[in-house]
Amino acid sequence: MKAVHFGAGNIGRGFVGLLLSNAGYELVFADVADALIEGLKQSDSYSVHEVGDDPRTTVVRGYTALNSAKETEALVAAIASADVVTTAVGAHILKFVAPVIAQGIATRAAEAKPLAVMACENAINATDILAAEIAKNYAGSDLAQRTIFANTAVDRIVPNQAADAGLDVTVETYFEWAIETPPFGDAVPDIPGVTWVPDLEPYIERKLFTVNTGHATTAWFGYLAGAASIADALADPAIAAKLAGALDDTKSLILAKHGIDEAVQAAYVKKILKRFANPFLPDTPLRVGRAPLRKLSRNERFISPASQLAERGMPRDALLETIAAGLRFDPVEDPEAVELVDRTMIELALQNPAFAPTVRTALSPKINQGRPDAILLVEFSGASKADITPKIRQLVELMGELGLPGSVVEMIDDAPQKNLWEVRKAGLNIMMSLKGDGKPVSFIEDCAVPLEHLALSLIHISEPTRRTPIS
């Protein structure tokens, strides 16, 4: 048996890959992170340290690794001969791994058994998302006959790893990997540790609206209270009350919608709170609370349950209060940002000896001879540089597909990053150096607008300026 797993990060190595390896699958890791893939290629094993009740260490051996950006042919061949394909890359990355999976399916032998494809992501019905992307890239009419797409729900806390951990991963002892059985019919794979269920939705929503809602609630209120760790936040009676309120709201939805017994849900919540407080998994509000815009999106852990409760006419005040806390989660340390620097600011900064050297490092010579109309500053988040590298490579690939190869200037080191953000922060002062009487006036501060709605919001903001003498 062979399994190809996309995403060789901590979840891939410490959870999905671990269970597949334990089940006897020949495991192939696929990732775009050069250093990570090279590390896996040069090693013959890594260890997974499970901490908490009944701690243990498992050594994973017998895997291979492929760079999905550079070894496409070998990866297609691996998928063509695989029994299972899984992912743990992030739901928003699925569209980037779909084309090579489609190629692998197309090259499978006609007599091969259907390939089981399962996206193990922190999203509702992520496999459906992946299946739709694969279908866009598959030329044949027999995709349904050659594949089995099964949705999953995954749950395991993986904290920040030690700087010297290498390929080893530390995780909590608890885990849940639930997979729906109907797509498999009578041919359900044998993967010890998997919970096979006829209806996945209760498991997905129970996990998302309890574990993910609870974790982020603790992080956001903990951040506002100045807590140094998640455990410290949980020890604060005021934060514990906020958390209890949010989980009471989601519990009422889970009971009403899925018919789960109240005592069973109460026991589940009790177990979750114990996991959050695991002293062997030190985590911070800054790490757990990051990416608030994603967590506050329509189908995520707060807006989805709150809207469903509203539709049912049920209380959701605690969730709304937590949403407000999420909107106030704006630490300087939160490494997730997208900022636009326009041509005027670029030209003025280049005329300033203090800023010119820094701005030149951000200009691509392949775009308008190094004089672009604008620079989009994109900052990715991750536990380490190895986690961030795949995101940068995917951005490079995306811009190339959009017809702008060479437009991404990679800035990996801390010092130049800091210098560039300092230039952006000094934007108003730089703009004030414009000669003449016309000066910019700051009257709209940064707004919490999801990127997918940013263009529309700019149209609405710009409309009043067309009816006034503002220029």
Side-chain angles (χ1 to χ4, degrees), residues 45-92:
S45 67
Y46 67 85
S47 298
V48 178
H49 306 288
E50 300 178 58
V51 296
D53 295 337
D54 190 24
R56 57 186 175 271
T57 294
T58 304
V59 179
V60 179
R61 295 187 174 88
Y63 54 81
T64 55
L66 294 171
N67 190 309
S68 52
K70 300 178 179 178
E71 298 177 290
T72 304
E73 187 175 337
L75 182 54
V76 168
I79 295 169
S81 60
D83 301 279
V84 172
V85 167
T86 54
T87 74
V89 296
H92 61 297

Side-chain angles (χ1 to χ4, degrees), residues 108-136:
R108 290 172 68 82
E111 66 275 11
K113 294 181 180 179
L115 176 68
V117 180
M118 297 174 284
C120 308
E121 311 293 348
N122 234 351
I124 295 176
N125 295 333
T127 302
D128 289 345
I129 298 172
L130 178 58
E133 294 296 335
I134 291 174
K136 292 177 185 176

Side-chain angles (χ1 to χ4, degrees), residues 157-160 211-220 223 229-231 276 281-292 294-295 301-302 329 334:
I157 295 175
V158 180
N160 271 335
V211 179
N212 298 98
T213 300
H215 221 189
T217 297
T218 306
W220 290 343
Y223 164 75
S229 69
I230 292 295
F276 290 171
L281 294 173
D283 236 333
T284 67
L286 288 177
R287 193 194 80 85
V288 176
R290 67 191 180 194
R294 174 176 61 81
K295 291 169 181 172
R301 63 206 72 187
F302 292 102
F329 181 84
D334 184 25

Side-chain angles (χ1 to χ4, degrees), residues 29 83 89 185 190 214 252 277 339 343 427 471:
F29 284 114
D83 301 279
V89 296
D190 182 17
S252 65
E339 294 274 358
R343 176 192 287 179
S471 61

Side-chain angles (χ1 to χ4, degrees), residues 95-96 99 394-405:
K95 61 184 177 182
F96 297 111
Q394 286 153 1
L395 177 61
V396 171
E397 294 171 9
L398 173 62
M399 295 308 293
E401 292 172 0
L402 293 175
L404 293 170

Side-chain angles (χ1 to χ4, degrees), residues 111-436:
E111 66 275 11
K113 294 181 180 179
L115 176 68
V117 180
M118 297 174 284
C120 308
E121 311 293 348
N122 234 351
I124 295 176
N125 295 333
T127 302
D128 289 345
I129 298 172
L130 178 58
E133 294 296 335
I134 291 174
K136 292 177 185 176
N137 291 274
Y138 189 78
S141 59
D142 59 348
L143 182 62
Q145 291 73 46
R146 308 192 76 176
T147 54
I148 295 173
F149 291 107
N151 283 299
T152 80
V154 290
D155 183 9
R156 182 168 235 177
I157 295 175
V158 180
N160 271 335
Q161 304 294 303
D164 59 352
L167 295 174
D168 294 350
V169 188
T170 297
V171 300
E172 65 171 334
T173 52
Y174 176 89
F175 69 86
E176 182 177 65
W177 184 6
I179 305 175
E180 59 181 351
T181 55
F184 291 98
D186 297 328
V188 175
D190 182 17
I191 307 176
V194 165
T195 300
W196 298 96
V197 298
D199 181 10
L200 190 66
E201 186 179 19
Y203 288 84
I204 292 178
E205 291 204 334
R206 184 182 71 164
K207 185 263 179 179
L208 187 64
F209 299 163
T210 307
V211 179
N212 298 98
T213 300
H215 221 189
T217 297
T218 306
W220 290 343
F221 282 114
Y223 164 75
L224 294 175
S229 69
I230 292 295
D232 289 343
L234 287 170
D236 184 323
I239 297 174
K242 302 289 189 187
L243 174 61
L247 293 185
D248 278 345
D249 281 358
T250 58
K251 179 182 74 173
S252 65
L253 174 64
I254 292 167
L255 300 187
K257 183 176 180 180
H258 299 298
I260 293 176
D261 183 79
E262 185 170 2
V264 171
Q265 179 63 14
Y268 183 69
V269 170
K270 183 178 180 180
K271 180 185 292 184
I272 297 308
L273 297 181
K274 183 179 179 181
R275 293 168 59 198
F276 290 171
N278 187 338
F280 299 101
L281 294 173
D283 236 333
T284 67
L286 288 177
R287 193 194 80 85
V288 176
R290 67 191 180 194
L293 295 185
R294 174 176 61 81
K295 291 169 181 172
L296 291 172
S297 60
R298 177 61 180 86
N299 296 313
E300 263 280 357
R301 63 206 72 187
F302 292 102
I303 304 301
S304 179
S307 63
Q308 292 186 58
L309 287 167
E311 290 167 357
R312 292 169 178 264
M314 299 170 67
R316 63 275 183 192
D317 291 346
L319 281 175
L320 297 179
E321 188 176 357
T322 305
I323 291 168
L327 293 173
R328 299 198 301 273
F329 181 84
D330 59 349
V332 175
E333 298 90 340
D334 184 25
E336 183 180 89
V338 177
E339 294 274 358
L340 184 70
V341 179
D342 67 11
R343 176 192 287 179
T344 302
M345 185 170 165
I346 293 171
E347 294 299 332
L348 290 173
L350 288 172
Q351 295 169 24
N352 188 317
F355 299 126
T358 297
V359 173
R360 289 193 187 99
T361 65
L363 302 178
S364 170
K366 296 185 179 181
I367 302 298
N368 198 27
Q369 289 78 50
R371 293 283 181 169
D373 287 338
I375 301 173
L376 188 67
L377 306 182
V378 181
E379 191 171 69
F380 293 104
S381 64
S384 67
K385 289 183 179 179
D387 291 329
I388 296 170
T389 301
K391 301 176 183 179
I392 297 176
R393 298 312 308 163
Q394 286 153 1
L395 177 61
V396 171
E397 294 171 9
L398 173 62
M399 295 308 293
E401 292 172 0
L402 293 175
L404 293 170
S407 62
V408 177
V409 177
E410 299 180 33
M411 198 168 286
I412 306 298
D413 296 328
D414 296 340
Q417 289 179 12
K418 181 177 182 296
N419 291 340
L420 191 58
W421 280 116
E422 289 299 326
V423 172
R424 175 63 187 86
K425 291 176 183 177
L428 184 56
N429 290 333
I430 294 173
M431 295 294 282
M432 291 299 290
S433 67
L434 273 169
K435 295 179 180 179

